[in-house]
């Protein structure tokens, strides 16, 4: 996952510049490319997620999707027109999120064989840390590759890396299958979800998963606007230097490396639902703070607050989605991660309308309001289904009861033996 995510983010970081400089695409055409590919990716992720829950198919889907992406990057390096790029994006790069979703589902399959209900949260935290490292290093490698190699040779290198990862994943996951086959499965009805209190039927689990996906779409709708307008906000309103602008964008993934282990420990100790809601509240505070921020220092502090949202809500949400559909980790993970595709489309509309009507700073009121709606919806669903969303009640310390004088008789120095009533005879 580390290698594949690094390669994907390296290519993603130069894709817009490649389209504009090499293929002469306009800014609108670049945006259309991302939106169309995101919609196609959502359909492919949902389809592969449902199909991958069959035994032995998940390993094949991981390897096949990496080979497919490798072929797409190889063709991309030779393109000469924007329509061809759009066609290649729809056909090949609709599978860009499939390896990540299937590897997370594969980890869930292995964890379900262990008698440890907290292991799933720890594994998801580790994989989310890997994705954060991959995004940070991928964007850096993409910038260096663009400067020293150019976009087309960089796409060729990414294609070779994807093909190598396909062979590596086939070997590693085959060895993991052999280990899993030798490990006895839990008894029927004794899965991780049952041990921690999830006893939702298939239809009920799908409905709750849909609510969780809608909540995440609302939470993530400001991501596109953040990437597009935050540098403008720092330069135009806060008069920050260019070096500080780059640091602000890189700060959340760096902070997530520290915050994710902490939030995973908090989720295992206090409940996943509580940690999810804390992260949601952090997103509301973040977008609300962007409206009133006046100094670069305040904005850097808000970037740390946004890292809390990523480390808590996004990370814990994957674990909650897999808990809602025990035994169908592929469908659950793919459905949950598809919220990013929907949020890309929705976020593009939100960013365009918000900036056009309110400006680049006051426009953050709109994603802030959407996050507030998402927080209220999540709290309502969690309170109605506390077991499914691991919303553990607060444990009160019991105090020893004072023994009733009527039952035991006597005062403070009386006998501790119960007094027997006299017989009428």
């Amino acid at each position: 996952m580390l290698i594949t995510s690094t390669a994907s983010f390296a290519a993603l970081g130069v894709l817009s510049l490649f389209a504009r400089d090499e293929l002469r695409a306009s800014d609108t055409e670049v945006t259309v490319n991302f939106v169309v590919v995101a919609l196609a990716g959502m359909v492919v992720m949902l389809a592969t997620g449902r199909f991958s829950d069959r035994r032995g198919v998940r390993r094949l889907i991981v390897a096949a999707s990496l080979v497919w992406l490798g072929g797409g990057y190889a063709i991309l390096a030779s393109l000469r027109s924007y329509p061809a790029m759009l066609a290649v994006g729809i056909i090949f790069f609709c599978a860009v999120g499939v390896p990540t979703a299937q590897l997370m589902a594969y980890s869930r399959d292995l964890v379900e064989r262990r008698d440890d209900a907290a292991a799933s949260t720890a594994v998801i935290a580790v994989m989310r840390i890997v994705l954060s490292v991959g995004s940070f290093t991928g964007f850096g490698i993409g910038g260096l590759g663009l400067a020293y190699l150019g976009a087309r040779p960089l796409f060729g290198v990414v294609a070779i890396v994807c093909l190598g990862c396909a062979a590596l994943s086939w070997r590693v996951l085959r060895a993991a299958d052999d280990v899993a086959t030798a490990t006895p499965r839990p008894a029927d009805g004794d899965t991780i979800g049952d041990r921690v209190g999830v006893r939702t039927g298939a239809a009920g689990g799908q409905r709750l998963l849909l609510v969780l996906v809608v909540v995440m779409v609302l939470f993530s709708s400001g991501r596109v606007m953040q990437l597009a307008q935050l540098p403008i906000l720092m330069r135009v309103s806060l008069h920050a230097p260019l070096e500080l602008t780059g640091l602000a964008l890189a700060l959340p993934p760096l902070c997530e490396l520290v915050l994710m282990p902490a939030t995973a420990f908090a989720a295992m100790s206090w409940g996943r639902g509580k940690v999810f809601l804390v992260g949601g509240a952090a997103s509301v505070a973040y977008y609300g703070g962007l409206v009133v921020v006046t100094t670069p220092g305040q904005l850097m502090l808000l970037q740390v607050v946004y890292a809390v949202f990523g480390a808590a809500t996004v990370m814990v949400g994957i674990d909650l989605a897999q808990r809602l559909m025990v035994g169908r980790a592929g469908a659950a993970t793919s459905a949950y991660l598809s919220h990013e595709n929907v949020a890309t489309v929705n976020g593009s509309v939100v960013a365009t309308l918000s900036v056009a009507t309110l400006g680049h700073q006051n426009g953050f009121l709109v994603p802030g309001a959407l996050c507030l709606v998402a927080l209220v919806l999540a709290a309502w669903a969690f309170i109605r289904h506390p077991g499914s969303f691991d919303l553990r009640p607060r444990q009160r310390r019991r105090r020893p009861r004072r023994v009733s004088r009527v039952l035991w008789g006597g005062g403070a120095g009386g006998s501790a033996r119960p007094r027997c009533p006299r017989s009428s005879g």
Side-chain angles (χ1 to χ4, degrees):
M1 178 174 279
L2 176 62
I3 300 174
T4 56
S5 62
T6 300
S8 297
F9 283 108
L12 180 64
V14 304
L15 190 60
S16 59
L17 292 177
F18 169 74
R20 189 186 66 176
D21 298 338
E22 298 284 342
L23 306 182
R24 306 304 179 188
S26 65
D27 293 340
T28 302
E29 289 175 333
V30 172
T31 303
V32 168
N33 176 76
F34 282 105
V35 170
V36 172
V37 173
L39 290 175
M42 178 186 64
V43 176
V44 171
M45 283 187 63
L46 293 176
T48 54
R50 291 180 62 88
F51 185 69
S52 68
D53 290 323
R54 300 179 181 180
R55 183 175 179 84
V57 180
R58 206 183 310 280
R59 181 175 74 247
L60 178 62
I61 291 179
V62 172
S65 61
L66 289 172
V67 172
W68 190 255
L69 289 173
Y73 286 118
I75 297 175
L76 183 63
S78 62
L79 295 182
R80 300 296 176 183
S81 66
Y82 169 77
M85 174 185 169
L86 185 62
V88 169
I90 296 173
I91 296 173
F92 287 92
F93 299 133
C94 60
V96 71
V98 173
T100 298
Q102 294 305 312
L103 287 173
M104 286 187 173
Y106 206 101
S107 68
R108 181 73 183 197
D109 296 340
L110 298 179
V111 166
E112 283 186 350
R113 297 176 181 271
R114 298 179 55 185
D115 191 16
D116 185 4
S120 62
T121 304
V123 169
I124 292 298
V126 171
M127 302 190 85
R128 279 288 303 166
I129 290 174
V130 168
L131 283 179
S132 296
V133 174
S135 64
F136 181 77
T137 57
F139 283 133
I141 293 174
L144 294 176
L146 183 62
Y148 291 99
L149 295 177
R152 297 182 187 277
L154 179 62
F155 292 146
V157 173
V158 172
I160 296 174
V161 171
C162 288
L163 295 177
C165 286
L168 179 63
S169 66
W170 182 267
R171 182 173 182 178
V172 171
L173 298 185
R174 184 175 182 180
D177 278 342
D178 295 338
V179 175
T181 303
T183 305
R185 294 186 63 88
D188 293 340
D190 188 29
T191 61
I192 279 183
D194 291 326
R195 287 197 298 272
V196 295
V198 178
R199 299 184 182 276
T200 307
Q206 291 178 0
R207 287 194 296 268
L208 295 181
L209 179 61
L210 178 60
V211 173
L212 187 64
V213 170
V214 171
V215 167
M216 289 305 303
V217 168
L218 295 176
F219 274 136
S220 304
S221 294
R223 178 64 175 168
V224 174
M225 183 174 176
Q226 179 202 23
L227 293 176
Q229 298 300 319
L230 194 63
I232 299 175
L233 172 64
M234 294 193 69
R235 292 292 294 166
V236 174
S237 299
L238 306 183
H239 306 288
L242 289 174
E243 295 80 5
L244 195 60
T245 302
L247 179 60
L249 294 175
L251 189 58
L254 287 178
C255 292
E256 287 179 3
L257 300 180
V258 179
L259 291 173
M260 281 185 186
T263 53
F265 177 79
M268 291 184 288
S269 301
W270 303 325
R272 298 164 180 82
K274 291 182 179 179
V275 174
F276 185 95
L277 294 177
V278 169
S283 71
V284 177
Y286 172 74
Y287 287 109
L290 287 179
V291 178
V292 298
V293 66
T294 56
T295 64
Q298 294 174 353
L299 190 138
M300 300 298 285
L301 181 60
L302 287 176
Q303 292 298 94
V304 177
V305 174
Y306 188 75
V308 175
F309 164 73
T313 301
V314 178
M315 186 268 293
V316 174
I318 299 174
D319 196 14
L320 288 175
Q322 293 177 345
R323 284 165 49 88
L324 291 174
M325 300 181 67
V326 177
R328 299 179 60 190
T333 308
S334 298
Y336 176 83
L337 293 181
S338 66
H339 84 266
E340 299 177 352
N341 304 78
V342 181
T344 300
V345 180
N346 184 45
S348 300
V349 178
V350 169
T352 302
L353 297 180
S354 300
V355 175
T357 55
L358 300 176
H360 64 268
Q361 184 166 11
N362 291 332
F364 285 106
L365 281 172
V366 177
L370 294 177
C371 289
L372 182 59
V373 173
L375 181 62
V376 173
L377 179 60
W380 172 79
F382 286 16
I383 292 173
R384 286 179 59 89
H385 305 277
S388 299
F389 292 105
D390 195 24
L391 190 65
R392 304 174 194 172
R394 184 178 180 181
Q395 299 291 336
R396 295 183 179 180
R397 183 178 299 177
R398 292 185 178 183
R399 297 181 179 179
R401 295 182 179 180
R402 295 184 62 184
V403 181
S404 173
R405 294 184 180 183
V406 176
L407 178 61
W408 298 98
S415 173
R417 295 170 57 187
R419 181 179 298 175
C420 298
R422 297 181 180 179
S423 62
S424 58

